[in-house]
Amino acid sequence: KKGSYDHFMQKEIHEQPHSLTTTMRGRLKDGEVLLGGLKEHLKTIRRCRRVVFIGCGTSYNAALGARTFVEELTGIPVTMEVASDLLDRQGPIYREDTAVFVSQSGETADTLLALDYALENGALCVGITNTVGSTLSRKTHCGVHINAGCEIGVASTKAYTSQIVAMAMMALAIGSDQISTQARRNAIISGLTSLPSCVSEVLKLDAEMKDLASSLIDSESLLVFGRGYNYATALEGALKVKEVALMHSEGMLAGEMKHGPLALVDENLPIIVIATRDACFSKQQSVIQQLLSRKGRLIVMCSKGDASAVCSIGSCRVIEVPGVADCLQPVINIIPLQLLAYHLTVLRGFDVDQPRNLAKSVTTQ
Ligand code: UD1
Ligand code: BG6
Ligand code: NA
């Protein structure tokens, strides 16, 4: 089933142009988004007081990646909940809330317990899952199957990008009654259409990411700085590195750099800075300057053609990625980091598809 690939994770990373195509199949027609699983519920969702995203691990990160454009396209405030933390706090959930549960397997115990809790509190419960017939799919009032195909590697890759695309379609569908955002919605829909070919292009960085991995083999730690749409990319990139390559890694909000992380910067600690084009670009340029002035060892991810705009020649290593609509850029930007985590794992000699101590689906609390 792995075909010409050595590992399922590798196969699933390279399969993403196809899995994203199946996520969107039949759902984008004549500039409109059609989500059969939500259409009866859109009116209720539009009237809700807030959207609460709930998930664990990579699925939580995907929801975080969707948060900004859901707020932008719907005007509804979005709050984020790690499922176990919502349960620990018994945090308030109201009848007027739309609770969106994100889970690849649809069987994660903490997420399902949070679902029971939200159902008891009377919220409208929406599922975003890869698994038809899963407990999450059955118990939610409605939802969207992401249709990414079966994911076998314990480290989630193709489900992450399909979850973001499914939530982008959800945001477009909820916001589709707003005239003022019509042009923006059209631009995102055309971005979705071109996404699979952009993903094919960014996958060509495979050899470059293997080379980068070989330079990081003996590092003890790796930081990843992102902000805005790509804060989630930083968290998810770092999660991939820690869960499969067994290297300490932290994703950080670049805006928090001066409030602690800056103390760690020296010539040895590798730091990835995500600085692709969006409204936060100039802020990221200044973050890079501050890190370079402290002799930080930087790897900068930027949009194609921006290498000299992000750092002076020779001062840092650059990963150039193709540009898409800003809110879809996280789908592109995570892919080099998935490739990096994969190669780092192989080069360090660890088990790619069955990382130490982890399970694909955590069905106990
Ligand atoms: C559905 C069919 C698909 C068919 C298409 C044709 C299924 C599973 N899907 O897709 O095979 O090609 O119509 O129009 O038969 N749901 C939840 N919770 C979740 C996910 C989904 O309750 O977490 C519900 C939805 O609200 C919906 C149903 O499950 O009632 C199917 O969802 P989905 O597969 O996303 O719907 P379609 O894309 O319309
Ligand atoms: C486990 C997996 O921890 O569960 C992760 O190892 C995954 O890869 C997490 O992100 C949540 O799983 P699910 O199925 O709810 O998305
Ligand atoms: Na259901």
Side-chain angles (χ1 to χ4, degrees):
K1 275 214 251 153
K2 280 180 293 202
S4 58
Y5 294 105
D6 297 327
H7 304 96
F8 284 107
M9 181 185 181
Q10 183 190 30
K11 171 177 175 279
E12 288 158 2
I13 291 171
H14 288 274
E15 197 168 279
Q16 288 174 105
H18 175 72
S19 51
L20 290 167
T21 301
T22 59
T23 298
M24 293 186 275
R25 182 165 294 145
R27 290 167 163 177
L28 297 177
K29 274 185 196 150
D30 313 320
E32 295 276 319
V33 175
L34 299 165
L35 292 172
L38 291 187
K39 67 172 189 287
E40 307 293 320
H41 302 268
L42 289 175
K43 276 191 186 143
T44 315
I45 298 173
R46 284 177 192 137
R47 281 198 309 262
C48 77
R49 169 158 109 176
R50 69 168 175 167
V51 168
V52 186
F53 272 127
I54 302 163
C56 305
T58 290
S59 293
Y60 174 89
N61 291 342
L64 184 66
R67 176 192 204 171
T68 309
F69 60 68
V70 171
E71 286 181 330
E72 183 196 342
L73 293 171
T74 70
I76 304 168
V78 179
T79 60
M80 299 298 308
E81 292 285 358
V82 171
S84 62
D85 187 50
L86 176 67
L87 294 163
D88 289 347
R89 292 178 4 257
Q90 296 284 293
I93 296 285
Y94 302 104
R95 293 183 57 82
E96 298 80 8
D97 288 334
T98 295
V100 180
F101 295 84
V102 186
S103 172
Q104 189 284 131
S105 62
E107 301 297 348
T108 298
D110 287 330
T111 306
L112 293 177
L113 287 164
L115 170 59
D116 290 339
Y117 175 74
L119 287 168
E120 281 163 26
N121 286 281
L124 176 71
C125 294
V126 179
I128 306 284
T129 182
N130 198 25
T131 316
V132 175
S134 60
T135 310
L136 184 83
S137 177
R138 285 185 284 108
K139 284 192 169 180
T140 44
H141 297 117
C142 59
V144 183
H145 291 116
I146 66 169
N147 300 338
C150 183
E151 189 181 68
I152 292 168
V154 167
S156 182
T157 52
K158 65 174 180 172
Y160 179 74
T161 49
S162 283
Q163 284 165 339
I164 294 178
V165 164
M167 288 183 272
M169 293 188 294
M170 177 182 80
L172 290 165
I174 299 169
S176 65
D177 63 332
Q178 295 180 15
I179 315 251
S180 61
T181 51
Q182 182 67 56
R184 172 73 169 150
R185 283 201 307 280
N186 290 345
I188 296 169
I189 291 172
S190 85
L192 285 170
T193 311
S194 62
L195 203 53
S197 67
C198 289
V199 169
S200 300
E201 195 185 332
V202 77
L203 283 166
K204 292 179 190 156
L205 291 173
D206 191 37
E208 202 177 315
M209 290 304 107
K210 186 174 180 183
D211 184 63
L212 176 61
S214 68
S215 74
L216 298 175
I217 272 186
D218 297 319
S219 294
E220 275 174 19
S221 182
L222 172 69
L223 301 188
V224 190
F225 281 130
R227 72 196 310 148
Y229 292 119
N230 286 291
Y231 174 38
T233 311
L235 293 187
E236 176 59 11
L239 178 58
K240 289 292 85 107
V241 169
K242 79 181 92 163
E243 70 184 340
V244 280
L246 314 189
M247 180 186 288
H248 172 255
S249 185
E250 295 300 329
M252 291 172 173
L253 202 47
E256 281 286 283
M257 181 182 71
K258 289 180 196 160
H259 306 293
L262 203 50
L264 295 171
V265 178
D266 63 16
E267 298 93 329
N268 302 313
L269 174 66
I271 303 176
I272 298 179
V273 183
I274 303 167
T276 44
R277 288 277 170 170
D278 60 24
C280 298
F281 181 64
S282 63
K283 289 186 182 173
Q284 284 303 71
Q285 282 180 302
S286 109
V287 162
I288 292 165
Q289 286 315 313
Q290 293 176 54
L291 290 169
L292 286 176
S293 72
R294 282 158 184 87
K295 304 202 164 33
R297 182 179 164 196
L298 299 198
I299 301 137
V300 177
M301 184 185 294
C302 66
S303 303
K304 240 187 199 136
D306 266 350
S308 58
V310 291
C311 55
S312 51
I313 310 296
S315 61
C316 48
R317 188 162 178 154
V318 172
I319 308 167
E320 287 189 56
V321 298
V324 290
D326 53 7
C327 67
L328 301 176
Q329 196 66 45
V331 174
I332 298 299
N333 292 358
I334 193 58
I335 290 172
L337 304 181
Q338 293 173 344
L339 291 167
L340 175 67
Y342 171 74
H343 288 298
L344 207 45
T345 310
V346 174
L347 292 169
R348 282 161 65 90
F350 296 122
D351 189 331
V352 174
D353 289 325
Q354 292 293 327
R356 184 174 76 193
N357 305 339
L358 299 181
K360 180 71 183 156
S361 187
V362 181
T363 55
T364 54
Q365 235 187 327

